[in-house]
Amino acid sequence: MPDTAAVPPTDAPSTALPALPALGVQAERLIELGVHETAGLSAAGLRDFAEAAAGLPGAGEGALLAVHPDRAPASALAPLLRRDGRPGFVVTDMTDVDLFAPLDTATPPDAPLYLVTGPDRGDHLAGWSPDEALPALTADARTPLLLTEGIHWLLQRPAVLERGHCFMTVGSRLRKPGGALDSRTPAIWISNGTGRDGRERRNAPKVGWCWAGNRHTWLGFGSARGRHTLP
């Protein structure tokens, strides 16, 4: 837990997050966006999984339908995001975004499709650094969201991304040669249209990064209860 005397107070809590639609509706959304084609899956296969997954743990409690990041990487998903009519984008200094892989504690099932149960934006951890928040999530039996899972969530419910209430996805990290973690941690927030983003991207969903030791009062930490796929 961080030294609270050193952490600025967080913004007021946001309103309740919009519930996820039924899995069948989520499947149709991904098909509409062409995600199944990116992943090398058929529309019928995606629909069949959504129907069968209704019996998986947590499926009846607002579970998120996700495609494995090896099938649909962040670079392909980010441009599908929309906010105020503007497409999402990856910051220019994150050309290696697809090399950010799951931590051992956030490994998705070895399957093209799976469910993410109980996704949460982690507003209560706003003002914490990734280095501080990750152990807290683990202690609370939560698993940090992968970057692609965070994007999937926003593809289904764009309103989850709010000014002052955006989130990091620290389940995805880049390893340096030798195995040490790169100091960057992925996050999804809303562009102000400044600097290299360009004014035309103001209010667009933005995939970027923050240092693992830095704190931001407007960034929570996306997490989930678990991940499940068909046996």
Side-chain angles (χ1 to χ4, degrees):
M1 183 174 180
D3 177 3
T4 53
V7 180
T10 59
D11 294 335
S14 62
T15 55
L17 298 178
L20 281 163
L23 294 176
V25 176
Q26 293 185 48
E28 294 303 326
R29 173 65 174 156
L30 296 181
I31 292 167
E32 174 190 358
L33 294 170
V35 174
H36 65 301
E37 295 175 342
T38 298
L41 302 170
S42 68
L46 187 51
R47 292 185 178 112
D48 288 346
F49 176 86
E51 182 177 359
L56 291 173
E61 304 171 14
L64 174 67
L65 176 57
V67 180
H68 196 287
D70 287 349
R71 293 287 194 115
S75 63
L77 295 177
L80 303 177
L81 294 170
R82 291 291 184 277
R83 188 176 187 278
D84 290 350
R86 291 173 171 79
F89 67 100
V90 179
V91 293
T92 58
D93 59 352
M94 203 176 182
T95 56
D96 53 0
V97 64
D98 293 337
L99 299 180
F100 282 70
L103 293 174
D104 292 343
T105 55
T107 304
D110 185 16
L113 299 166
Y114 63 99
L115 298 187
V116 178
T117 58
D120 181 74
R121 198 169 59 187
D123 292 357
H124 65 292
L125 294 175
W128 295 45
S129 73
D131 285 343
E132 294 160 340
L134 186 56
L137 290 173
T138 301
D140 198 29
R142 303 283 300 180
T143 180
L145 287 185
L146 305 182
L147 175 56
T148 52
E149 293 169 352
I151 297 174
H152 273 295
W153 193 11
L154 297 177
L155 289 176
Q156 300 292 346
R157 285 292 183 252
V160 166
L161 199 67
E162 301 179 80
R163 282 204 174 274
H165 297 287
C166 301
F167 60 96
M168 297 192 195
T169 55
V170 297
S172 297
R173 295 293 295 270
L174 177 65
R175 290 197 179 274
K176 301 176 181 178
L181 290 176
D182 186 276
S183 296
R184 294 171 295 165
T185 55
I188 310 172
W189 70 94
I190 300 168
S191 174
N192 285 326
T194 57
R196 286 178 289 183
D197 288 1
R199 284 183 293 178
E200 70 279 4
R201 284 175 165 163
R202 178 172 173 78
N203 293 326
K206 172 178 177 176
V207 172
W209 57 270
C210 301
W211 298 118
N214 285 5
R215 298 163 173 164
H216 300 278
T217 59
W218 45 276
L219 284 173
F221 290 84
S223 70
R225 282 196 298 271
R227 299 173 177 88
H228 306 276
T229 194
L230 299 176

